[in-house]
Amino acid sequence: MKFYIIAGERSGDLHGSNLIKALKQQRPNAEIRCWGGDAMEEAGGELVTHYREMAFMGFFEVVKHLGTIRKKINFCKEDILSYKPDAIILIDYAGFNIRIAKFAKANNIPVHYYISPKIWAWNQKRAFKIKKNVDYMYVILPFEKEFYKRYDFEVDYVGNPLLDAIRDFKPSQNFAFKDKNVIAVLPGSRQQEVEQMMENLQKVTVEFSQEHFVVAGVKSLDKTLYSKIENQSNVSLIFDQTYDLLSNSKAALVTSGTATLETALFNVPEVVVYKTGTISYAIAKKVVKVEFISLVNLILQKEAVKELIQEKFTVKNIADELKHILPKGQKRAQILNDYKNLKALMGDENTSQKTAGMILERTILVDL
């Protein structure tokens, strides 16, 4: 049995790797070719293209790289036809994967979509394209099942794979900051995200000279992106140890994305920050249909964690909000209580195993 899996960013690589492990556990002879990252390759997938080659953020940035994206899409289509998979598994990554879904459907290749694109945030009419070209959708956010019902598309809520990843996490006994109450900084996995965070972090740390900040770096990015904090005495930089860091942190500054939910599931009070290019943000303001950008707030449908977006992403605002969530801060207790409600809403499914089982069962039925 052969599968072709496509993930286009770091979080997709994490979830894709756990799905690959589950597929191989249930079907040891399964062959998997993939677009993703180091984690998917280590899990047993044959890596075709690394996500760092496709990590474009924001409307303007995507437009600038349209030529590259088109070439990648064409190559992907040729590679799929050459590989002849029994099914394609798409992971988030809307702009690319929705095109591949249409192509696969036209070529009679079953399409499984694991982790819905965030079309409920903007361009909701994409739900019609998904319904037309996707055979099975496995959603990981509680409200997504109801969203798709509005388009008469029955999807499967399988729980959230972050719960699997955190459940399987084993803290390192050699972690450099073990048992220290540090402030975690999760600046994202894209170059622009890191640049924006490092610019302000350098100034924020001066106001918290008695605290120690630890930045979760990403090895696939150029290390010089983190150079602004190299000479800060109360700032350290580590790579690919995010869960160890979160398990030893008392608060966090987090760039919007999957990391906001990971931080909450580790019970770490956080401030969510995000800044993109001026043009991209102006376009986003016109098309985005949701009130919040962090997954925590979207699931809870309230501002449980503070979001500092674009012009609100200032040194003063970051410092003020950070004080509120540190031990004895006035917002800390409420955030921790909201996290309890968050976990109750998400449930406790063994997501990777459940999804793998459903994909395998449906693929076998097609082959019969």
Side-chain angles (χ1 to χ4, degrees):
M1 193 173 289
K2 297 166 67 175
F3 296 102
Y4 200 102
I5 306 179
I6 304 174
E9 56 190 0
R10 188 165 177 256
S11 62
D13 181 38
L14 168 67
H15 303 322
S17 70
N18 287 327
L19 183 63
I20 289 172
K21 291 173 188 174
L23 286 167
K24 285 186 169 291
Q25 183 179 341
Q26 296 180 41
R27 191 87 173 191
N29 63 344
E31 297 177 29
I32 296 168
R33 189 166 171 84
C34 60
W35 290 47
D38 301 338
M40 290 173 71
E41 186 172 34
E42 289 169 9
E46 180 187 359
L47 190 65
V48 182
T49 299
H50 199 288
Y51 66 77
R52 63 173 166 255
E53 297 179 33
M54 298 290 290
F56 306 123
M57 182 183 73
F59 298 97
F60 184 62
E61 290 73 22
V62 168
V63 169
K64 281 200 305 183
H65 294 92
L66 276 178
T68 299
I69 294 170
R70 287 196 189 100
K71 288 179 183 177
K72 291 292 185 184
I73 289 174
N74 290 334
F75 169 71
C76 184
K77 291 176 179 178
E78 292 170 6
D79 197 48
I80 288 169
L81 292 179
S82 175
Y83 186 62
K84 297 183 175 65
D86 293 297
I88 287 179
I89 303 170
L90 307 174
I91 302 177
D92 199 352
Y93 200 39
F96 193 95
N97 277 340
I98 290 177
R99 287 177 174 83
I100 296 301
K102 182 179 180 180
F103 168 79
K105 190 72 171 180
N107 285 276
N108 298 311
I109 304 171
V111 178
H112 298 258
Y113 215 130
Y114 175 46
I115 306 178
S116 169
K118 299 174 183 61
I119 59 171
W120 33 263
W122 67 284
N123 204 351
Q124 295 183 353
K125 290 183 179 179
R126 278 182 166 182
F128 291 115
K129 290 183 179 179
I130 288 176
K131 179 184 175 182
K132 182 178 179 180
N133 297 309
V134 172
D135 297 290
Y136 306 102
M137 171 69 79
Y138 310 91
V139 300
I140 66 168
L141 298 172
F143 60 82
E144 290 177 320
K145 189 171 178 67
E146 291 301 317
F147 169 79
Y148 278 107
K149 269 189 179 179
R150 298 190 338 230
Y151 296 89
D152 197 27
F153 186 30
E154 191 64 34
V155 303
D156 296 291
Y157 175 65
V158 291
N160 197 291
L162 288 180
L163 296 169
D164 292 352
I166 293 171
R167 187 189 299 115
D168 295 341
F169 166 67
K170 294 179 176 59
S172 170
Q173 296 304 309
N174 300 316
F175 183 61
F177 302 95
K178 191 174 185 302
D179 300 325
K180 291 184 180 177
N181 290 319
V182 297
I183 297 172
V185 180
L186 279 56
S189 58
R190 296 185 178 98
Q191 178 176 332
Q192 291 165 279
E193 294 174 333
V194 175
E195 287 174 338
Q196 296 288 358
M197 178 70 96
M198 292 302 99
E199 185 72 34
N200 280 349
L201 179 65
Q202 183 184 25
K203 301 168 185 174
V204 170
T205 55
V206 174
E207 297 192 30
F208 293 84
S209 58
Q210 300 305 308
E211 303 288 354
H212 197 89
F213 295 78
V214 180
V215 178
V218 178
K219 281 183 179 177
S220 59
L221 294 178
D222 189 336
K223 192 175 179 180
T224 59
L225 288 172
Y226 306 97
S227 61
K228 287 185 181 295
I229 48 91
E230 282 183 345
N231 297 321
Q232 303 290 114
S233 60
N234 62 332
V235 184
S236 298
L237 174 65
I238 60 173
F239 288 95
D240 297 338
Q241 301 175 74
T242 302
Y243 282 8
D244 277 304
L245 173 57
L246 287 174
S247 66
N248 289 283
S249 298
K250 60 185 176 183
L253 302 176
V254 187
T255 295
S256 178
T258 303
T260 63
L261 187 52
E262 289 174 305
T263 302
L265 293 174
F266 271 96
N267 240 33
V268 181
E270 64 187 300
V271 178
V272 176
V273 299
Y274 183 79
K275 189 173 184 180
T276 188
T278 304
I279 296 176
S280 293
Y281 183 69
I283 297 171
K285 281 189 71 174
K286 292 182 179 296
V287 300
V288 169
K289 305 294 185 184
V290 291
E291 188 176 354
F292 306 111
I293 65 167
S294 73
L295 291 176
V296 176
N297 293 342
L298 284 166
I299 294 171
L300 289 170
Q301 297 185 1
K302 60 177 280 190
E303 191 179 54
V305 295
K306 188 67 177 180
E307 298 181 354
L308 300 177
I309 308 168
Q310 211 68 6
E311 69 275 0
K312 293 182 181 178
F313 179 39
T314 66
V315 173
K316 182 181 185 306
N317 287 343
I318 295 170
D320 288 345
E321 291 302 324
L322 185 54
K323 289 172 185 173
H324 292 325
I325 66 170
L326 285 170
K328 298 183 180 178
Q330 64 185 44
K331 294 184 179 180
R332 187 177 181 87
Q334 183 59 57
I335 290 176
L336 293 174
N337 187 61
D338 286 334
Y339 285 173
K340 291 180 183 178
N341 296 331
L342 174 78
K343 293 172 186 177
L345 284 170
M346 291 178 65
D348 193 28
E349 298 281 0
N350 194 334
T351 302
S352 302
Q353 290 290 340
K354 180 178 181 178
T355 306
M358 295 172 77
I359 290 172
L360 288 168
E361 182 181 353
R362 287 164 171 171
T363 303
I364 291 170
L365 288 173
V366 168
D367 289 341
L368 292 178

